[in-house]
Amino acid sequence: MSQPATSTDLEVEINYSQVYIYSVAPWENDPNGHNAVVDALNDAHESGRHVGLASGLVDVLTPAEWNFAAPMRVETWEAEPPADFDNWDHVVDVDLDIPNGKLIFEGSGGRPPIPCDVPPGRYRARLAGRGYDLTKAGTEGMDAYRVQLWPRTSDDAPSLRKSWSGWDTQ
């Protein structure tokens, strides 16, 4: 069985049912970069992926309105990892560049950034979440997330690999 080259477990903050993932904040060098937050949120809804992209920012929507200690596993792989979609409620693949070796997680609404060190590079990222049914039912702290990163040589469109059926009733 294949194993990740590296893995890091951390806790991230979900706020207003969102967590932002980025390497370089779009607003760092662009006074209009905060538009990326709205643009990524719009992309998440309009695409039906519930994961949106804009200016290097990934916006992951969750059924949890708040979880200030959501488990997040970050894995790096030498090639695309094996699919294990049965273990997850929602899975989306996106391109994600990490030029500075820092992957940042930030809850919506200005929560403190939570950094994770990864090798710098151009990656395909598989974003996965689970525990969504329990979370939607009101059980707090049962959602968990994973980001799998592997090198990419081309730009590819985002891909909804598995959709949580509960989005239809949100």
Side-chain angles (χ1 to χ4, degrees):
M1 176 182 253
S2 297
Q3 296 293 321
T6 67
S7 65
T8 303
D9 291 315
L10 51 131
E11 291 180 343
V12 301
E13 296 185 2
I14 308 295
N15 199 22
Y16 298 103
S17 300
Q18 299 173 77
V19 61
Y20 304 136
I21 303 173
Y22 58 89
S23 180
V24 177
W27 49 87
E28 198 168 284
N29 298 315
D30 179 4
N32 296 319
H34 279 288
N35 292 339
V37 171
V38 173
D39 293 344
L41 178 59
N42 288 340
D43 181 52
H45 286 294
E46 292 168 6
S47 68
R49 290 186 312 265
H50 301 279
V51 171
L53 306 168
S55 303
L57 177 76
V58 179
D59 189 359
V60 178
L61 307 187
T62 75
E65 189 168 355
W66 293 283
N67 183 345
F68 297 118
M72 172 70 74
R73 171 166 279 215
V74 178
E75 300 174 348
T76 61
W77 291 75
E78 294 178 7
E80 181 175 353
D84 64 347
F85 303 152
D86 289 345
N87 297 322
W88 299 91
D89 295 329
H90 195 77
V91 182
V92 177
D93 289 356
V94 301
D95 289 349
L96 182 60
D97 294 338
I98 307 173
N100 60 9
K102 293 280 183 203
L103 188 59
I104 305 294
F105 298 89
E106 182 178 333
S108 176
R111 302 298 305 166
I114 299 168
C116 180
D117 292 328
V118 298
R122 290 172 32 97
Y123 290 101
R124 189 71 172 166
R126 180 163 294 146
L127 311 168
R130 64 177 161 210
Y132 285 15
D133 288 332
L134 290 170
T135 299
K136 185 179 175 188
T139 307
E140 293 184 16
M142 296 306 294
D143 50 324
Y145 304 88
R146 181 181 68 191
V147 176
Q148 294 176 303
L149 302 166
W150 66 94
R152 67 181 169 89
T153 57
S154 63
D155 295 339
D156 292 308
S159 176
L160 177 60
R161 306 296 299 265
K162 181 178 182 181
S163 183
W164 176 56
S165 61
W167 292 125
D168 298 335
T169 59
Q170 280 283 97

